[in-house]
Amino acid sequence: MRRLLRRYRKGCVNAPANDPVGRRLWKAISAHAWWSYAVLVLAVWTLGLIGFRDLTTPRISWPDSAYRSLQLFFLEFGPERLGSFGEDWRLHVARFAAPLTMALGAVAAIARIYVDRSRQLWARLFYRDHAIVCGSGRKGLRLAREFRDAGTPVVVLEKDGSNGLLEACRASGSVVFVGDAREGDLLRQAGVRKAKHVLVVCGEGGVNAAVAARVREELLESSAGRPVTCFAHIEDPGLCRLLMQETTSAEEVAPFRLEFFNVHDTAARALLDEHPPRPVPGDPAARLLIVGLGALGQSLLTALVRRWALDQDLPSLEISVFDSDVERRFASAIRRLPTSTGIDRSDLHELDRAAPVFDLDAIRAGGSPSVAYVSLDDDSSSLSAAVSLVRRTRGESFPIVVCLSDESGLTTLLERSGEGEFARLRPFAWLARACTREVVLGGINETMARAIHEGYLRQRLESGPGRDPDPSLRSWDELPEALKESNRQQADDIRAKLHSIGCEILPIDVDGRDEFEFRPHELESLAVLEHRRWIEERRRDGWRRGDAKDIDRKVTPFLVPWEELSEEIRERDRHAVREIPTVLHRVGLTIHRHPQRGETHA
């Protein structure tokens, strides 16, 4: 394990051990092409410099030799000027290599400019339903690759033209524009009005919010019909949740839909899905350790408490926290929690991050833990703490999950070394889990749209399937994109419906887990509104009234006023309204009725 740490700190982990030396050298040269070119130019110039210096009689000065060698690159020193020293091999090599090197650089530069410009022009003219990634840091590069691998055209916007990750973006097949994503001209060049998704991962939350606001302005000025979904990353998880609630409660209009996400929150949820805490056999409680209350550790604590607060079927939860300055860090985390954690001061333990030593009595207090999560600020510190915990708890069997930022390098080595006492270590590449296409697209609106479709499927199947195959009765993954978008627009309209009856959307912990039920007159009123919304949506999408439903021809017999609908079709709209509390519950939200307004509808 010490060898793994040494190799990681030396930066050698990214090169596969079985790569031949020649291949490794070629990869290194390719990764630093312009530096390699500069070395080549310097080598040719030095060859000419030494040749001119050594072969002239009397010897010329170093500056004169340097100048003559420089002339070789511009074909200004031919055979007639070489004179008596023209037979030396060094000068002949430099004479031919110098102009060839210049030609190589010129061709490469022209090719780079031409390829970039031609790809940019192609994107502006022909890209439709593409993804725009604003920012080419680690998150941006990973998301660009994810969308390209899924077959989606990608445009990357990056302010810093010297960003070393831009080459990796180009290599993945993305079209790169250099400029500030907060500028409308650049967004228009990237085809924002024809895009399907805009992912904003520029760095600071304020910059990301400004880019999202600019995208909104551009889209609201356009005549685009289908909404473009903008996903903006917010570094602070607490602020991100607040903004997510506000966007759910806000009334937006086509063609703009805004979602916020935080990689630490999404990684924490993925971590619990992949490595959930389970009670030790014979123990009614789930005991676990959290080592590190940084950004990821705080999100993990929040996700744990929220998950246990919303599911009464889960066993009781006991958590022990280890970190430096643990009380301050825990106080910061506790402000983000919706309910009492059940954790008192005796469960908080100081730990020196530089030289982690664990208190065995604190680890085993109340019984053996079922799992330990280690998430310090950097990969090396996390692995060091995990190794210390393994050795301190010899004889125990609980797994130790090590949260690492990258799925390559150290993570790969850790998986290969999972034997002996280190077999309990479980690497978790949290950034790779958080920056996937499915996770980012699965925001609040997408989750609500899925829940709406699931409720529709249940209602239709309970009432009996129709005689003819109906594409709307497929699972979400098999659903045509147009029908998915219909569900998304239905989710967008929930806030407006609730506002019409004097209700608002709040976090679920505000009202607890009490069941919300619509009053009979509210149910009927909202069902009518849902049918009117559906008619407007269908007409915008080019549907027309006909005798029989035909999705390919966009024909439906239900483009009629509410009064002309059959009772069976009316019940579908009522069922959609009844499902609203369940849909909101899926994303941690609930309905709050204003007494002074809601009572007026009674």
Side-chain angles (χ1 to χ4, degrees):
M1 187 55 66
R2 289 196 185 98
R3 183 173 59 191
L4 292 179
L5 283 170
R6 285 197 299 270
R7 289 185 64 191
Y8 175 70
R9 287 166 179 157
K10 289 178 182 178
C12 299
V13 296
N14 289 326
N18 57 352
D19 266 6
V21 174
R23 183 178 298 176
R24 295 188 196 183
L25 180 61
W26 174 251
K27 287 182 178 179
I29 294 174
S30 300
H32 306 282
W34 288 107
W35 283 108
S36 302
Y37 176 74
V39 171
L40 177 62
V41 171
L42 181 61
V44 173
W45 177 80
T46 302
L47 197 63
L49 172 69
I50 296 173
F52 280 119
R53 173 67 177 172
D54 290 347
L55 297 177
T56 54
T57 304
R59 284 193 173 188
I60 62 176
S61 65
W62 282 110
D64 285 343
S65 297
Y67 183 75
R68 290 188 180 187
S69 182
L70 187 63
Q71 287 181 307
L72 294 176
F73 288 90
F74 302 97
L75 298 174
E76 295 182 4
F77 215 95
E80 68 281 357
R81 299 187 61 187
L82 289 177
S84 61
F85 48 86
E87 300 299 325
D88 186 80
W89 68 270
R90 288 173 295 185
L91 286 177
H92 279 289
V93 170
R95 169 190 166 195
F96 287 102
L100 288 175
T101 302
M102 287 296 293
L104 176 64
V107 170
I110 293 172
R112 167 60 53 79
I113 295 173
Y114 173 76
V115 169
D116 272 358
R117 293 291 174 84
S118 62
R119 294 181 70 182
Q120 290 171 0
L121 179 61
W122 182 268
R124 293 175 64 179
L125 293 177
F126 300 108
Y127 272 16
R128 299 289 188 281
D129 292 335
H130 57 288
I132 300 175
V133 179
C134 304
S136 64
R138 288 194 304 167
K139 293 187 286 289
L141 173 59
R142 186 171 292 278
L143 288 171
R145 286 173 171 171
E146 284 274 332
F147 277 83
R148 286 294 301 136
D149 290 345
T152 303
V154 175
V155 173
V156 174
L157 308 183
E158 171 56 46
K159 185 177 181 180
D160 182 8
S162 62
N163 188 329
L165 296 179
L166 285 180
E167 284 304 314
C169 291
R170 293 186 178 98
S172 71
S174 301
V175 178
V176 174
F177 287 81
V178 176
D180 193 335
R182 290 171 291 187
E183 297 178 358
D185 289 343
L186 185 65
L187 289 172
R188 287 190 290 273
Q189 290 180 41
V192 68
R193 298 176 180 179
K194 300 177 292 183
K196 185 175 182 180
H197 301 115
V198 179
L199 303 107
V200 189
V201 286
C202 296
E204 297 179 2
V207 175
N208 292 341
V211 173
R214 187 60 186 169
V215 170
R216 180 181 185 275
E217 293 176 9
E218 288 295 321
L219 293 174
L220 293 182
E221 291 175 1
S222 73
S223 58
R226 177 181 48 75
V228 176
T229 306
C230 179
F231 300 88
H233 182 260
I234 302 298
E235 283 292 338
D236 182 76
L239 176 61
C240 183
R241 293 190 203 100
L242 178 62
L243 292 173
M244 290 168 68
Q245 174 199 331
E246 290 300 318
T247 54
T248 307
S249 301
E251 191 168 0
E252 283 289 358
V253 294
F256 180 75
R257 181 183 294 129
L258 178 61
E259 295 267 8
F260 292 100
F261 72 101
N262 175 269
V263 291
H264 297 110
D265 274 358
T266 53
R269 291 193 294 270
L271 174 58
L272 292 180
D273 290 338
E274 190 168 329
H275 301 281
R278 296 185 177 91
V280 175
D283 193 336
R287 295 186 175 88
L288 56 99
L289 310 179
I290 295 180
V291 181
L293 276 183
L296 181 57
Q298 291 191 20
S299 291
L300 174 60
L301 181 62
T302 302
L304 277 165
V305 173
R306 285 180 178 271
R307 185 167 296 193
W308 255 253
L310 297 178
D311 192 342
Q312 294 180 336
D313 295 331
L314 292 173
S316 60
L317 181 65
E318 297 182 7
I319 304 175
S320 293
V321 181
F322 295 80
D323 204 346
S324 61
D325 198 8
V326 66
E327 292 192 8
R328 181 189 63 81
R329 295 176 187 272
F330 182 75
S332 174
I334 206 73
R335 289 195 296 267
R336 298 161 45 182
L337 301 180
T339 60
S340 173
T341 63
I343 306 173
D344 55 34
R345 292 172 62 88
S346 63
D347 295 310
L348 307 179
H349 309 280
E350 281 293 323
L351 180 72
D352 184 356
R353 292 189 171 197
V357 177
F358 292 88
D359 183 349
L360 192 57
D361 292 335
I363 293 173
R364 293 174 174 170
S368 179
S370 61
V371 64
Y373 303 104
V374 182
S375 59
L376 296 176
D377 291 338
D378 61 86
D379 291 356
S380 182
S381 297
S382 293
L383 185 56
S384 179
V387 170
S388 176
L389 183 57
V390 167
R391 290 173 173 166
R392 187 62 174 158
T393 57
R394 283 190 176 97
E396 297 282 355
S397 59
F398 64 88
I400 300 173
V401 183
V402 192
C403 298
L404 306 172
S405 62
D406 201 340
E407 64 179 345
S408 62
L410 186 58
T411 306
T412 303
L413 290 172
L414 188 58
E415 289 173 341
R416 292 177 179 176
S417 65
E419 56 187 21
E421 63 178 340
F422 299 115
R424 294 161 55 199
L425 294 179
R426 305 284 190 274
F428 178 78
W430 66 268
L431 187 60
R433 302 296 197 280
C435 288
T436 65
R437 181 177 180 275
E438 292 74 17
V439 168
V440 173
L441 295 187
I444 283 185
N445 177 271
E446 193 77 2
T447 303
M448 292 169 63
R450 282 176 174 265
I452 288 171
H453 181 63
E454 290 170 7
Y456 174 79
L457 279 180
R458 286 195 303 271
Q459 193 267 343
R460 288 292 306 276
L461 295 177
E462 287 172 0
S463 62
R467 296 178 181 178
D468 299 323
D470 190 342
S472 65
L473 296 181
R474 299 173 184 172
S475 67
W476 178 265
D477 293 334
E478 298 175 345
L479 202 64
E481 182 59 31
L483 296 181
K484 287 183 179 180
E485 182 57 34
S486 178
N487 285 297
R488 296 181 188 118
Q489 294 188 30
Q490 185 174 336
D492 288 337
D493 193 58
I494 287 179
R495 185 266 177 190
K497 289 190 183 72
L498 295 176
H499 185 266
S500 71
I501 60 171
C503 295
E504 65 176 334
I505 300 172
L506 293 176
I508 201 167
D509 55 273
V510 173
D511 271 355
R513 285 171 285 180
D514 296 335
E515 294 290 336
F516 180 93
E517 291 186 7
F518 292 106
R519 296 162 182 163
H521 69 277
E522 294 173 339
L523 180 65
E524 196 70 10
S525 173
L526 296 184
V528 173
L529 290 178
E530 169 56 26
H531 181 63
R532 291 175 181 171
R533 182 208 64 80
W534 180 85
I535 288 178
E536 292 177 3
E537 173 207 311
R538 283 293 187 264
R539 286 176 175 166
R540 282 197 308 268
D541 198 32
W543 285 67
R544 56 190 176 84
R545 183 180 175 182
D547 294 333
K549 184 176 180 179
D550 189 329
I551 292 180
D552 295 332
R553 296 173 54 226
K554 294 188 176 182
V555 175
T556 176
F558 307 131
L559 288 177
V560 296
W562 174 262
E563 295 74 17
E564 298 180 23
L565 290 175
S566 66
E567 188 61 26
E568 177 187 357
I569 303 303
R570 290 183 185 181
E571 185 57 30
R572 292 183 188 177
D573 289 316
R574 296 188 189 108
H575 180 79
V577 173
R578 293 190 194 100
E579 287 288 303
I580 289 178
T582 301
V583 169
L584 291 174
H585 190 278
R586 287 276 290 271
V587 292
L589 300 172
T590 189
I591 302 173
H592 175 71
R593 192 192 308 275
H594 291 291
Q596 68 276 20
R597 296 185 60 191
E599 296 297 335
T600 62
H601 295 271

